Amino acid sequence: MKIEPALLASLTWFAHIARHRSFTKAATEMEVTRGALSQHLKGLEQQLNVRLLNRTTRHMSLTEEGQRLLDVLAPALTAIERAVSELGETHVEPSGLIRMNASRIATRLLIEPHMGEFLARHPKVRLELVMNDGLSNIVADGMDAGIRLGASLDEHMVAVPVTPPLEMAIVGSPEYFERHGIPKTPADLMQHNCLAYRFTSSGTIDRWSFTSPDAEKRILVFEPKGNAVFNDDENMLNAALQGVGLIKYLDLCIHEHLADGRLIRVLGPWCKPSPGFYLYVPSRAQMPAKIRALTDFLIEKREQLAKMSVDALPPSSTQ
């Protein structure tokens, strides 16, 4: 059956009446008269040649045919209303709740230092942070966005970089190196106390991956087996600052400790850049103003992070 344009309006009126099970409530919501709704429904039933509602002076119920029609109409109309609403939001002030999933280290690097500024710029936006070191399915988990390292994202994910490329740095305190010496190659790490990080989501130990600085570009994988294991990166960092052992950490996240000499980086030539953190979202289609505002803000901060280059840091120890 070919759907005439006029029929679409009547189908919408029917859905509102059926949802409320009341002409009066539906008419109030839609700001039309009860009589107008009654006429729309009567015309729709005549066009379809089927009764959609059973109604008396006190009660109303859907017929079997009416329920079947509503089951199809309800999700379709909801999707249309959402699309129209989101389309309108692209031209209005950002507002509403942003539910975002991020790893703890990404939250400390990208969100915590700038949260006040972002919320001050967009006072109608609310932010809910869910910290999870595993890769979240943001659609299934009801999230609006997530932040993860680019290397862990599916190639088909809609994502934008919010940091420059990063390097995993092997670091320790000056006191530690005074006691134990400086490793020259990854093989030397067998003689050092290498502190481990255990992923909460999978329970596995984070292995250290190196690329040889020669033309062969050999990949070496090392599993740290020191006297301590952590599932919180901040606790692990504090242990390194106290001289307990060596750790692997994102270079940008320990910029200040490297700059003031509290940590010393080793094996720099063996650590190659990799994709940094990305903000990923379910879809670019009908992107709400609040998500566009968050994306633009983090891209702006990315430019600031890019200025914190490794060249500005003290040289790595390679002796």
Side-chain angles (χ1 to χ4, degrees):
M1 172 182 177
K2 183 180 178 181
I3 299 180
E4 298 294 333
L7 184 63
L8 295 176
S10 296
L11 289 170
T12 303
W13 296 123
F14 161 71
H16 284 290
I17 296 168
R19 186 177 66 195
H20 289 290
R21 298 295 197 273
S22 167
F23 280 99
T24 302
K25 292 179 180 179
T28 300
E29 180 191 47
M30 303 305 295
E31 298 181 345
V32 296
T33 65
R34 187 181 185 283
L37 282 185
S38 181
Q39 285 300 113
H40 275 291
L41 179 64
K42 183 178 180 180
L44 178 62
E45 289 179 327
Q46 289 175 346
Q47 285 182 277
L48 299 179
N49 194 29
V50 66
R51 178 176 288 278
L52 300 173
L53 293 174
N54 291 317
R55 46 199 183 275
T56 66
T57 55
R58 292 187 177 183
H59 301 286
M60 176 187 297
S61 63
L62 288 167
T63 65
E64 180 181 356
E65 294 78 7
Q67 186 64 58
R68 283 164 48 198
L69 181 59
L70 181 64
D71 288 344
V72 174
L73 282 177
L77 289 173
T78 297
I80 292 171
E81 289 171 355
R82 183 184 298 115
V84 171
S85 174
E86 291 176 349
L87 182 63
E89 282 185 354
T90 61
H91 304 289
V92 300
E93 182 180 0
S95 63
L97 175 65
I98 298 176
R99 300 191 72 232
M100 183 165 62
N101 184 298
S103 65
R104 283 172 285 190
I105 194 168
T107 299
R108 295 189 183 112
L109 175 65
L110 301 172
I111 304 301
E112 288 181 359
H114 310 296
M115 185 183 298
E117 181 182 354
F118 176 73
L119 294 177
R121 285 193 196 181
H122 307 289
K124 294 184 179 180
V125 170
R126 294 180 296 127
L127 192 62
E128 179 178 343
L129 287 174
V130 179
M131 286 188 284
N132 182 349
D133 290 329
L135 184 59
S136 169
N137 183 330
I138 56 177
V139 176
D141 294 343
M143 299 290 162
D144 298 296
I147 298 179
R148 285 295 181 274
L149 288 171
S152 64
L153 293 176
D154 185 277
E155 62 179 356
H156 302 297
M157 190 74 70
V158 179
V160 59
V162 291
T163 70
L166 303 174
E167 287 186 14
M168 287 295 181
I170 308 302
V171 298
S173 70
E175 294 77 16
Y176 175 88
F177 290 119
E178 287 178 7
R179 297 194 306 270
H180 302 284
I182 295 174
K184 297 179 181 180
T185 70
D188 295 338
L189 293 176
M190 298 295 295
Q191 310 304 319
H192 286 265
N193 189 33
C194 298
L195 309 181
Y197 180 87
R198 187 184 300 279
F199 292 107
T200 304
S201 56
S202 64
T204 59
I205 294 293
D206 184 21
R207 295 184 175 185
W208 300 5
S209 180
F210 301 97
T211 303
S212 66
D214 54 31
E216 295 182 11
K217 304 297 181 185
R218 292 169 290 115
I219 304 297
L220 291 82
V221 178
F222 172 78
E223 182 171 340
K225 296 181 179 180
N227 61 7
V229 179
F230 303 86
N231 70 348
D232 180 83
D233 57 280
E234 191 169 23
N235 290 338
M236 184 177 68
L237 175 59
N238 287 334
L241 290 168
Q242 294 171 27
V244 176
L246 303 184
I247 64 169
K248 182 187 81 168
Y249 218 85
L250 287 172
D251 58 352
L252 197 60
C253 299
I254 51 175
H255 179 274
E256 293 182 359
H257 296 312
L258 292 170
D260 64 19
R262 296 185 65 195
L263 290 176
I264 295 174
R265 182 176 184 177
V266 297
L267 302 177
W270 291 80
C271 301
K272 301 302 179 184
S274 61
F277 283 107
Y278 281 68
L279 175 74
Y280 64 106
V281 297
S283 172
R284 283 193 178 94
Q286 291 93 42
M287 183 179 289
K290 59 186 179 182
I291 302 301
R292 194 175 302 279
L294 176 64
T295 303
D296 291 344
F297 180 81
L298 290 178
I299 290 175
E300 174 189 324
K301 296 305 174 185
R302 180 186 67 193
E303 301 305 317
Q304 297 179 14
L305 290 172
K307 296 178 182 179
M308 298 166 56
S309 64
V310 178
D311 294 338
L313 299 177
S316 301
S317 178
T318 56
Q319 299 178 4

